[in-house]
CSV table of all heavy atoms in Angstrom, one decimal:
chain,number,residue,atom,x,y,z
B,711,MET,N,-54.1,119.8,-37.2
B,711,MET,CA,-54.5,119.6,-35.8
B,711,MET,C,-54.6,121.0,-35.2
B,711,MET,O,-53.8,121.9,-35.4
B,711,MET,CB,-53.4,118.9,-35.1
B,711,MET,CG,-53.9,118.0,-33.9
B,711,MET,SD,-52.5,117.4,-32.9
B,711,MET,CE,-51.8,116.2,-34.0
B,760,SER,N,-34.1,109.4,-12.0
B,760,SER,CA,-33.5,109.0,-10.8
B,760,SER,C,-33.6,107.4,-10.7
B,760,SER,O,-34.5,106.9,-11.4
B,760,SER,CB,-34.1,109.6,-9.6
B,760,SER,OG,-35.5,109.4,-9.6
B,797,ASP,N,-44.9,94.9,-22.6
B,797,ASP,CA,-44.1,93.8,-21.9
B,797,ASP,C,-44.2,92.6,-22.9
B,797,ASP,O,-45.3,92.0,-23.1
B,797,ASP,CB,-44.8,93.4,-20.6
B,797,ASP,CG,-43.9,92.4,-19.8
B,797,ASP,OD1,-42.8,92.0,-20.4
B,797,ASP,OD2,-44.2,92.1,-18.7
B,804,TRP,N,-29.4,85.4,-33.3
B,804,TRP,CA,-28.3,84.8,-32.5
B,804,TRP,C,-28.0,85.8,-31.4
B,804,TRP,O,-28.6,86.9,-31.4
B,804,TRP,CB,-27.0,84.7,-33.4
B,804,TRP,CG,-26.8,85.8,-34.3
B,804,TRP,CD1,-27.1,85.9,-35.6
B,804,TRP,CD2,-26.3,87.1,-34.0
B,804,TRP,NE1,-26.8,87.1,-36.2
B,804,TRP,CE2,-26.3,87.9,-35.1
B,804,TRP,CE3,-25.8,87.7,-32.8
B,804,TRP,CZ2,-25.9,89.2,-35.2
B,804,TRP,CZ3,-25.4,89.0,-32.8
B,804,TRP,CH2,-25.4,89.8,-34.0
B,829,ILE,N,-44.0,124.5,-36.0
B,829,ILE,CA,-43.5,123.1,-36.1
B,829,ILE,C,-43.9,122.3,-34.8
B,829,ILE,O,-43.9,122.8,-33.7
B,829,ILE,CB,-42.0,123.1,-36.2
B,829,ILE,CG1,-41.6,123.7,-37.5
B,829,ILE,CG2,-41.4,121.7,-36.0
B,829,ILE,CD1,-40.1,124.0,-37.7
B,848,PHE,N,-40.4,113.8,-35.7
B,848,PHE,CA,-41.0,114.9,-36.5
B,848,PHE,C,-42.1,114.4,-37.4
B,848,PHE,O,-41.7,113.9,-38.5
B,848,PHE,CB,-39.9,115.7,-37.3
B,848,PHE,CG,-38.9,116.3,-36.4
B,848,PHE,CD1,-37.8,115.6,-36.0
B,848,PHE,CD2,-39.0,117.6,-36.0
B,848,PHE,CE1,-36.8,116.1,-35.2
B,848,PHE,CE2,-38.0,118.2,-35.2
B,848,PHE,CZ,-36.9,117.5,-34.8
B,864,THR,N,-29.9,118.3,-27.1
B,864,THR,CA,-30.1,117.4,-26.0
B,864,THR,C,-29.0,117.4,-25.0
B,864,THR,O,-27.8,117.4,-25.3
B,864,THR,CB,-30.2,116.0,-26.6
B,864,THR,OG1,-31.2,115.9,-27.5
B,864,THR,CG2,-30.4,114.9,-25.4
B,920,GLN,N,-16.6,110.7,-26.7
B,920,GLN,CA,-17.5,109.9,-27.5
B,920,GLN,C,-18.5,109.2,-26.6
B,920,GLN,O,-18.4,109.1,-25.3
B,920,GLN,CB,-16.7,108.8,-28.1
B,920,GLN,CG,-15.5,109.3,-29.0
B,920,GLN,CD,-15.1,108.4,-30.2
B,920,GLN,OE1,-15.9,107.5,-30.6
B,920,GLN,NE2,-14.0,108.7,-30.7
B,934,SER,N,-24.5,104.7,-18.0
B,934,SER,CA,-24.0,104.7,-19.3
B,934,SER,C,-24.9,105.6,-20.2
B,934,SER,O,-26.1,105.5,-20.2
B,934,SER,CB,-24.0,103.3,-20.0
B,934,SER,OG,-23.8,103.4,-21.4
B,945,VAL,N,-23.5,110.3,-35.8
B,945,VAL,CA,-23.2,109.8,-34.5
B,945,VAL,C,-23.3,111.0,-33.5
B,945,VAL,O,-23.0,112.1,-33.8
B,945,VAL,CB,-21.7,109.3,-34.5
B,945,VAL,CG1,-21.1,109.3,-33.1
B,945,VAL,CG2,-21.7,107.9,-35.1
B,977,GLN,N,-37.3,110.7,-37.5
B,977,GLN,CA,-37.0,110.5,-36.0
B,977,GLN,C,-35.5,110.4,-35.8
B,977,GLN,O,-34.8,110.1,-36.7
B,977,GLN,CB,-37.7,109.2,-35.5
B,977,GLN,CG,-37.2,108.0,-36.2
B,977,GLN,CD,-38.1,106.8,-36.2
B,977,GLN,OE1,-39.3,107.0,-36.1
B,977,GLN,NE2,-37.6,105.6,-36.3
B,1000,ASN,N,-33.5,96.4,-27.3
B,1000,ASN,CA,-35.0,96.6,-27.3
B,1000,ASN,C,-35.5,97.9,-28.0
B,1000,ASN,O,-36.6,98.0,-28.3
B,1000,ASN,CB,-35.5,96.6,-25.8
B,1000,ASN,CG,-35.7,95.2,-25.3
B,1000,ASN,OD1,-36.0,94.3,-26.1
B,1000,ASN,ND2,-35.3,95.0,-24.0
B,1036,GLY,N,7.2,93.5,-53.6
B,1036,GLY,CA,8.2,93.3,-52.5
B,1036,GLY,C,8.5,91.9,-52.2
B,1036,GLY,O,9.4,91.6,-51.4
B,1122,ARG,N,-20.1,102.4,-56.0
B,1122,ARG,CA,-20.2,102.1,-57.4
B,1122,ARG,C,-20.0,100.6,-57.7
B,1122,ARG,O,-20.6,100.1,-58.7
B,1122,ARG,CB,-19.1,102.8,-58.2
B,1122,ARG,CG,-19.4,104.2,-58.6
B,1122,ARG,CD,-18.2,104.9,-59.2
B,1122,ARG,NE,-18.2,106.2,-58.7
B,1122,ARG,CZ,-17.1,106.9,-58.2
B,1122,ARG,NH1,-16.0,106.3,-58.0
B,1122,ARG,NH2,-17.3,108.1,-57.8
B,1129,GLN,N,-22.1,90.3,-56.2
B,1129,GLN,CA,-22.4,89.2,-57.2
B,1129,GLN,C,-21.2,88.3,-57.4
B,1129,GLN,O,-21.3,87.1,-57.5
B,1129,GLN,CB,-22.8,89.9,-58.6
B,1129,GLN,CG,-24.2,90.5,-58.5
B,1129,GLN,CD,-24.4,91.5,-59.6
B,1129,GLN,OE1,-23.6,91.7,-60.5
B,1129,GLN,NE2,-25.5,92.2,-59.5
B,1163,TYR,N,-23.3,102.6,-44.2
B,1163,TYR,CA,-23.1,101.3,-43.5
B,1163,TYR,C,-24.5,100.6,-43.5
B,1163,TYR,O,-24.5,99.3,-43.7
B,1163,TYR,CB,-22.8,101.5,-42.0
B,1163,TYR,CG,-21.5,102.4,-41.8
B,1163,TYR,CD1,-21.5,103.5,-40.9
B,1163,TYR,CD2,-20.3,102.0,-42.5
B,1163,TYR,CE1,-20.3,104.2,-40.7
B,1163,TYR,CE2,-19.1,102.8,-42.2
B,1163,TYR,CZ,-19.2,103.9,-41.4
B,1163,TYR,OH,-18.0,104.6,-41.2
B,1187,GLY,N,-27.0,98.6,-31.8
B,1187,GLY,CA,-28.0,97.6,-31.7
B,1187,GLY,C,-28.7,97.3,-33.0
B,1187,GLY,O,-29.6,96.5,-33.1
B,1199,GLU,N,-15.9,96.4,-35.9
B,1199,GLU,CA,-14.8,96.7,-35.1
B,1199,GLU,C,-15.1,97.9,-34.2
B,1199,GLU,O,-15.6,97.7,-33.1
B,1199,GLU,CB,-13.6,96.9,-36.0
B,1199,GLU,CG,-12.3,97.1,-35.2
B,1199,GLU,CD,-11.1,97.4,-36.1
B,1199,GLU,OE1,-11.3,98.2,-37.1
B,1199,GLU,OE2,-10.0,96.9,-35.9
B,1203,GLY,N,-9.2,97.3,-31.3
B,1203,GLY,CA,-9.2,95.9,-31.2
B,1203,GLY,C,-7.8,95.3,-31.1
B,1203,GLY,O,-6.8,96.0,-31.0
B,1222,LEU,N,-14.2,97.6,-22.3
B,1222,LEU,CA,-15.0,97.4,-23.5
B,1222,LEU,C,-16.5,96.9,-23.2
B,1222,LEU,O,-17.4,97.4,-23.8
B,1222,LEU,CB,-14.3,96.4,-24.5
B,1222,LEU,CG,-13.2,97.0,-25.3
B,1222,LEU,CD1,-12.5,95.9,-26.1
B,1222,LEU,CD2,-13.7,98.1,-26.2
B,1249,THR,N,13.4,93.7,-34.8
B,1249,THR,CA,13.4,95.1,-34.3
B,1249,THR,C,12.1,95.4,-33.5
B,1249,THR,O,12.1,96.5,-32.9
B,1249,THR,CB,13.6,96.1,-35.4
B,1249,THR,OG1,12.4,96.1,-36.2
B,1249,THR,CG2,14.8,95.8,-36.3
B,1277,ASP,N,-4.2,84.2,-34.1
B,1277,ASP,CA,-2.7,84.0,-34.3
B,1277,ASP,C,-2.4,83.1,-35.4
B,1277,ASP,O,-3.3,82.6,-36.1
B,1277,ASP,CB,-2.2,83.5,-32.9
B,1277,ASP,CG,-0.7,84.0,-32.7
B,1277,ASP,OD1,0.0,84.2,-33.7
B,1277,ASP,OD2,-0.3,84.2,-31.5
B,1290,GLN,N,-7.4,73.9,-27.6
B,1290,GLN,CA,-8.6,73.1,-27.5
B,1290,GLN,C,-9.8,74.0,-27.0
B,1290,GLN,O,-10.9,73.8,-27.5
B,1290,GLN,CB,-8.4,71.9,-26.6
B,1290,GLN,CG,-9.6,71.0,-26.6
B,1290,GLN,CD,-9.8,70.3,-28.0
B,1290,GLN,OE1,-8.9,70.0,-28.7
B,1290,GLN,NE2,-11.1,70.2,-28.4
B,1317,ARG,N,-21.7,81.5,-19.8
B,1317,ARG,CA,-22.7,81.4,-20.9
B,1317,ARG,C,-23.0,80.0,-21.2
B,1317,ARG,O,-22.1,79.1,-21.2
B,1317,ARG,CB,-22.1,82.1,-22.2
B,1317,ARG,CG,-21.7,83.6,-22.0
B,1317,ARG,CD,-21.4,84.2,-23.3
B,1317,ARG,NE,-20.6,85.4,-23.2
B,1317,ARG,CZ,-21.1,86.6,-23.2
B,1317,ARG,NH1,-22.4,86.8,-23.2
B,1317,ARG,NH2,-20.3,87.7,-23.1
B,1362,THR,N,2.4,83.0,-13.3
B,1362,THR,CA,2.1,83.7,-14.5
B,1362,THR,C,2.0,85.2,-14.3
B,1362,THR,O,1.5,85.6,-13.2
B,1362,THR,CB,0.8,83.1,-15.1
B,1362,THR,OG1,0.9,81.7,-15.3
B,1362,THR,CG2,0.5,83.8,-16.4
B,1384,LEU,N,-16.2,77.8,-7.5
B,1384,LEU,CA,-14.8,77.7,-7.9
B,1384,LEU,C,-14.1,79.0,-7.6
B,1384,LEU,O,-14.5,80.0,-7.9
B,1384,LEU,CB,-14.7,77.5,-9.4
B,1384,LEU,CG,-15.1,76.1,-10.0
B,1384,LEU,CD1,-15.0,76.2,-11.5
B,1384,LEU,CD2,-14.2,75.0,-9.5
Side-chain angles (χ1 to χ4, degrees):
Chain B
M711 210 189 290
S760 58
D797 191 359
W804 41 258
I829 292 170
F848 296 86
T864 303
Q920 305 208 18
S934 165
V945 159
Q977 63 205 23
N1000 277 326
R1122 273 172 219 132
Q1129 285 159 12
Y1163 305 130
E1199 185 182 41
L1222 281 176
T1249 67
D1277 213 330
Q1290 187 63 40
R1317 304 188 197 267
T1362 304
L1384 287 177

